[in-house]
Amino acid sequence: MRITLVQGDITRQEADVIVNAANSSLLGGGGVDGAIHRRGGPEILAACRALRASHYGRGLPTGQAVATTAGNLPARWVVHTVGPVYSTGEDRAELLRDCYRNALRVAEGLGARTIAFPLISSGVYGWPLDDAVRQALHVLDTAETPLEEAVLVLFDEHAHRTALAVRAADA
């Protein structure tokens, strides 16, 4: 799978799947989650409400992933995953890696060829930027998947420069 690092707005990425760094309610929020719901339109919220009414009454567990329509986004589907909140007292890296693994698995099940990820848990969930990149790239670099391309979308120039530096250091 080809892995590309880009600076930009995840809601403008053209891919079969756009990954949403969702909160467990699946009903929208701030950051990437809010942006995806706003730009994607009411179809995404309606699909998320249906998931809450059927399979995820208590919300989507951390590290798991589920797909909905992409509404008005330039994608076919949104795969929602809930990242862990960073903790200095507990190693939650496996849960963060599970977000990427499970999103890939759901995308494969949909027949997707391309997927765009935000940097999960690196915003309000407080995950240190360089380690968030390292965890994402670890999963993407080692994934055995029929997907052709994964794009890691970094929101700003600082995050993009950090990702490029981590990529170069780990190469």
Side-chain angles (χ1 to χ4, degrees), residues 35-46:
I36 284 175
H37 276 268
R38 280 189 303 277
R39 182 158 168 107
E43 296 88 357
I44 296 173
L45 181 58

Side-chain angles (χ1 to χ4, degrees), residues 1-83:
M1 174 174 61
R2 184 173 61 255
I3 301 164
T4 308
L5 307 177
V6 301
Q7 178 185 338
D9 178 348
I10 189 125
T11 68
R12 298 193 183 280
Q13 294 299 308
E14 293 186 15
D16 294 332
V17 168
I18 291 176
V19 176
N20 181 17
N23 65 53
S24 64
S25 77
L26 296 174
L27 302 178
V32 169
D33 195 20
I36 284 175
H37 276 268
R38 280 189 303 277
R39 182 158 168 107
E43 296 88 357
I44 296 173
L45 181 58
C48 287
R49 284 188 173 139
L51 286 169
R52 285 297 306 268
S54 60
H55 297 90
Y56 299 101
R58 294 186 178 173
L60 185 65
T62 301
Q64 297 302 304
V66 65
T68 66
T69 179
N72 299 324
L73 295 171
R76 294 181 65 193
W77 303 281
V78 171
V79 171
H80 307 266
T81 188
V82 180

